[in-house]
């Protein structure tokens, strides 16, 4: 932390996003921004629209600019002259490449976070090859890459050819946010995440009729474009009385604490924060093998179960086991990342000094 003792060199940090609809990438981005502001840095968020549930989590002091589209980011950077640009996730690295291309040697250092696994299970052979080629070029427009666990850092460094320019910094931990607790059943399975294809909620819903306990409900916290398809599946399986779609939650931790088990059935992930959050309140987890980080989080059998993505029988068996009368809740596991904002600042200062 010696970089933080003297005068900071990354005094102005710029980051960017499309909107505030409630994804984990943007939520972590706002937590980091809050920490950077608390450390006395100037932070600017370039965003197309501030509409969305996460608007309630915008930290005081954050400067907001609203370009009509993120392709205008090079002009914003040129005008505001930040010391460093932070790209919050894989989804946004195309804008980082465009900014570097447009600004050339006048571009400030760009640091990006690897938010999803380099190899995605939803890609066919051709798409996988194209994606790997894209990742291999990241070292030409990024100055540094941050991953959230050692395994994902190794994987990302190899994929991007950025060995030696990759650091491990976890996301800041979830913090309680004042919110009204929704009406909840006394016992339930919980899913938390956006209603998008990546999350594969259809797997979890399809498991409900196969469980030994035909009364236990499923609660899902999240919103997104797949709501209509999910509601159609619920009707088709006659599960309207067992699946509760409660929408976005500003603070899912109290709902996690009351859940019997949390399930994550994604096709691919980066480092799924919901698993760490559930374990932090002593709730066991069941997850698909959606990234190398899952095994780093569910590192003991008394904390949860990992199943293959398309093994429906294994998913049902794992849920049955954790719903059983003899299942023991794990001891709470503290979330890492309390010093993450400071660790990013130390990295930013080092890059700017260079």
């Amino acid at each position: 932390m010696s970089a933080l003792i003297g005068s900071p060199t990354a005094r102005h940090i710029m980051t960017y996003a499309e909107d505030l609809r409630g994804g984990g990438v943007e939520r972590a981005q706002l937590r980091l921004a809050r920490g950077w502001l608390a450390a006395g840095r100037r932070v600017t968020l370039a965003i197309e629209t501030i509409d969305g549930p996460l608007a309630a989590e915008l930290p005081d002091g954050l400067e907001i600019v609203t370009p009509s589209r993120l392709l205008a980011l090079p002009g914003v950077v040129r005008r505001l002259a930040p010391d460093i640009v932070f790209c919050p996730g894989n989804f946004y690295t195309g804008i980082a490449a465009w900014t570097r291309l447009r600004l050339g040697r006048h571009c400030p250092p760009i640091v990006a976070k690897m938010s999803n696994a380099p190899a995605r299970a939803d890609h066919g052979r051709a798409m996988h090859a194209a994606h790997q080629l894209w990742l291999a070029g990241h070292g030409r427009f990024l100055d540094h890459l941050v991953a959230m666990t050692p395994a994902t850092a190794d994987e990302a460094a190899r994929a991007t050819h950025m060995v030696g320019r990759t650091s491990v910094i976890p996301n800041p931990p979830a913090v309680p946010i004042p919110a009204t607790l929704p009406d909840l059943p006394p016992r339930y399975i919980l899913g938390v995440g956006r209603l998008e294809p990546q999350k594969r909620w259809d797997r979890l819903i399809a498991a409900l009729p196969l469980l030994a306990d035909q009364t236990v409900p499923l609660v899902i916290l999240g919103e997104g474009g797949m709501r209509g398809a999910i509601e159609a599946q619920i009707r088709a399986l006659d599960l309207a009385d067992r699946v509760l779609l409660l929408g976005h939650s500003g603070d899912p931790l109290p709902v996690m604490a009351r859940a019997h088990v949390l399930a994550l059935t994604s096709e691919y992930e980066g480092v799924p924060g919901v698993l760490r959050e559930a374990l932090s309140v002593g709730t066991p987890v069941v997850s698909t093998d959606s990234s190398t980080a899952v095994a780093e989080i569910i590192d003991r059998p008394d904390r949860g179960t990992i199943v293959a993505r398309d093994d429906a029988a294994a998913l049902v068996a794992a849920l049955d086991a954790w719903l059983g009368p003899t299942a023991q809740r794990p001891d709470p596991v503290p979330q890492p990342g309390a010093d993450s904002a400071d660790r990013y600042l130390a990295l930013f200062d080092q890059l700017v000094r260079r």
Side-chain angles (χ1 to χ4, degrees):
M1 295 301 166
S2 59
L4 299 179
I5 295 174
S7 176
T9 51
R11 295 179 178 86
H12 183 193
I13 302 160
M14 176 170 286
T15 187
Y16 58 95
E18 279 190 343
D19 53 45
L20 297 173
R21 288 182 297 176
V25 167
E26 292 79 15
R27 172 168 271 154
Q29 178 184 36
L30 294 182
R31 290 175 187 163
L32 286 169
R34 187 181 301 278
W36 299 335
L37 289 163
R41 309 300 175 99
R42 176 186 175 190
V43 185
T44 299
L45 172 65
I47 190 165
E48 292 180 359
T49 173
I50 60 170
D51 293 336
L54 288 181
E57 299 180 31
L58 288 168
D60 293 337
L62 181 67
E63 298 177 22
I64 297 174
V65 294
T66 53
S68 59
R69 53 182 183 161
L70 284 182
L71 285 174
L73 186 68
V76 177
V77 173
R78 185 183 292 112
R79 176 168 56 87
L80 297 181
D83 297 303
I84 202 147
V85 173
F86 175 63
C87 170
N90 306 46
F91 176 76
Y92 293 111
T93 55
I95 298 298
W98 174 245
T99 301
R100 176 73 70 183
L101 177 66
R102 294 290 295 167
L103 298 182
R105 64 186 179 87
H106 300 292
C107 186
I110 302 176
V111 175
K113 187 181 76 176
M114 181 66 71
S115 57
N116 270 319
R120 287 175 37 172
D122 62 329
H123 284 170
R125 182 176 299 177
M127 183 63 74
H128 173 76
H131 186 58
Q132 295 307 302
L133 186 63
W134 162 242
L135 289 173
H138 276 43
R140 292 196 289 270
F141 59 85
L142 296 179
D143 293 272
H144 204 86
L145 186 68
V146 173
M148 292 174 277
T149 71
T152 54
D154 289 344
E155 189 178 30
R158 290 193 303 270
T160 59
H161 297 181
M162 293 181 68
V163 174
R165 289 192 288 153
T166 303
S167 298
V168 178
I169 305 177
N171 275 339
V175 293
I177 299 173
T180 301
L181 197 65
D183 290 333
L184 296 166
R187 185 169 179 266
Y188 54 92
I189 302 166
L190 178 64
V192 179
R194 293 172 296 116
L195 306 185
E196 301 295 345
Q198 169 191 353
K199 301 299 182 179
R200 290 300 307 268
W201 295 117
D202 59 300
R203 289 173 172 155
L204 186 53
I205 293 167
L208 281 187
L210 305 177
L211 295 177
D213 184 344
Q214 285 292 292
T215 64
V216 64
L218 167 64
V219 172
I220 298 179
L221 300 181
E223 197 53 80
M226 292 291 292
R227 174 177 275 271
I230 291 170
E231 290 174 337
Q233 182 188 15
I234 292 169
R235 290 192 298 270
L237 295 176
D238 196 22
L239 293 173
D241 60 340
R242 289 184 64 192
V243 182
L244 305 176
L245 301 178
L246 299 186
H248 175 83
S249 172
D251 181 12
L253 288 176
V255 185
M256 288 179 175
R258 296 190 181 195
H260 218 76
V261 60
L262 179 137
L264 182 71
T265 50
S266 299
E267 188 71 6
Y268 64 93
E269 286 283 349
V271 178
V274 294
L275 299 181
R276 281 181 164 161
E277 290 168 8
L279 289 172
S280 77
V281 293
T283 297
V285 294
V286 172
S287 175
T288 52
D289 54 353
S290 49
S291 85
T292 56
V294 170
E296 294 179 287
I297 298 171
I298 309 176
D299 58 346
R300 292 176 10 187
D302 61 327
R303 291 174 174 168
T305 307
I306 304 171
V307 299
R309 284 184 292 270
D310 288 314
D311 193 337
L315 175 61
V316 170
L319 291 171
D320 277 340
W322 286 107
L323 292 167
T326 61
Q328 298 293 313
R329 294 177 71 88
D331 292 331
V333 181
Q335 296 184 69
D339 62 345
S340 292
D342 285 345
R343 290 168 65 182
Y344 268 103
L345 291 178
L347 172 62
F348 294 166
D349 287 344
Q350 182 182 39
L351 290 170
V352 172
R353 280 197 303 272
R354 289 178 185 172

